[in-house]
């Protein structure tokens, strides 16, 4: 009986979280907040005698809301990596990490994004389902769920302030989205 009540509470929390995401999308659209691109990084690969360069495959559009990405369809993602589409240019050999960043920016350009456009990639989708989210996890599942910025605790979906932080006392997803969307719509230090 207690398990059924807990499952029902989880379903209700998932519905509230989904509604909070849909409400945030509606407010962001109505406010004209610009979107960013969401893509999948496709590494370079060898095809017969040629090497096909790395590219980005479009997945949709999102708004960056703190450590979350909110899709225009209401899906929620954990922030991964980001770049701006740019020409690769000639190698400068300053450092391996700099060359890697230049190649990623060029991959975004090859993916069809205009130069200078922000592109988010390696984002992890956050399921807003209570199925198993409230249950204790073991092994790699528990470690993976602690790394996500959103989790299910105390009958609500909550947003951690950092990876691995406890969910107890963390703001609900609805409150977090309300606050962050309000900041995007009404920036505190707007010129003019």
């Amino acid at each position: 009986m207690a398990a059924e009540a807990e499952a029902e509470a989880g379903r209700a929390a998932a519905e509230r979280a989904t509604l909070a995401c849909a409400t945030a999308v509606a407010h962001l659209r109505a406010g004209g907040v610009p979107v960013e691109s969401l893509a999948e990084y496709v590494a370079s690969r060898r095809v017969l005698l040629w090497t096909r360069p790395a590219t980005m495959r479009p997945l949709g559009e999102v708004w960056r809301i703190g450590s979350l990405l909110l899709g225009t369809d209401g899906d929620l993602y954990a922030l991964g990596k980001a770049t701006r589409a740019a020409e690769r240019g000639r190698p400068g050999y300053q450092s391996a990490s700099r060359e890697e960043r230049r190649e990623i920016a060029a991959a975004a350009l090859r993916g069809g994004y205009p130069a200078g456009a922000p592109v988010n990639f390696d984002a992890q989708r956050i399921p807003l389902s209570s199925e198993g989210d409230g249950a204790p996890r073991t092994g790699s599942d528990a470690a993976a769920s602690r790394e996500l910025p959103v989790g299910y605790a105390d009958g609500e979906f909550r947003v951690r302030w950092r990876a691995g932080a406890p969910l107890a006392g963390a703001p609900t997803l609805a409150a977090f989205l309300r606050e962050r969307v309000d900041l995007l719509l009404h920036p505190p230090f707007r010129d003019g």
Side-chain angles (χ1 to χ4, degrees):
M1 203 61 154
E4 288 177 20
E6 187 176 327
E8 182 57 36
R11 282 191 290 279
E15 288 175 14
R16 286 191 299 274
T18 302
L19 179 61
C21 289
T23 302
V25 167
H27 284 99
L28 291 166
R29 275 199 179 122
V33 177
V35 293
E36 297 180 4
S37 297
L38 178 65
E40 174 187 6
Y41 178 76
V42 180
S44 63
R45 65 180 192 271
R46 192 136 174 101
V47 178
L48 297 176
L49 301 175
W50 297 274
T51 299
R52 190 170 281 172
T55 187
M56 297 271 186
R57 181 178 313 133
L59 295 177
E61 295 179 324
V62 294
W63 288 280
R64 186 184 301 244
I65 302 178
S67 60
L68 302 175
L69 296 173
L70 178 61
T72 55
D73 56 359
D75 283 345
L76 206 55
Y77 300 88
L79 187 63
K81 298 177 185 171
T83 189
R84 288 196 178 269
E87 287 287 337
R88 169 72 171 93
R90 293 189 343 215
Y93 302 107
Q94 295 171 355
S95 70
S97 63
R98 173 69 183 132
E99 293 303 313
E100 181 182 341
R101 288 191 306 272
R102 288 172 57 150
E103 182 56 35
I104 289 171
L109 196 65
R110 284 190 292 271
Y113 297 103
V119 180
N120 296 282
F121 63 101
D122 284 352
Q124 183 178 359
R125 188 171 180 282
I126 299 172
L128 292 179
S129 163
S130 63
E131 301 301 317
D133 286 329
R137 296 183 184 192
T138 58
S140 62
D141 282 348
S145 68
R146 280 192 302 269
E147 293 303 312
L148 288 175
V150 175
Y152 179 75
D154 302 328
E156 289 292 337
F157 281 89
R158 299 183 177 278
V159 181
R160 291 178 172 89
W161 64 278
R162 68 168 173 78
L167 288 169
T172 64
L173 177 61
F176 178 84
L177 289 175
R178 254 191 322 274
E179 177 185 327
R180 293 302 176 119
V181 167
D182 187 51
L183 284 172
L184 287 173
L185 294 173
H186 309 102
F189 299 110
R190 179 181 288 180
D191 290 336

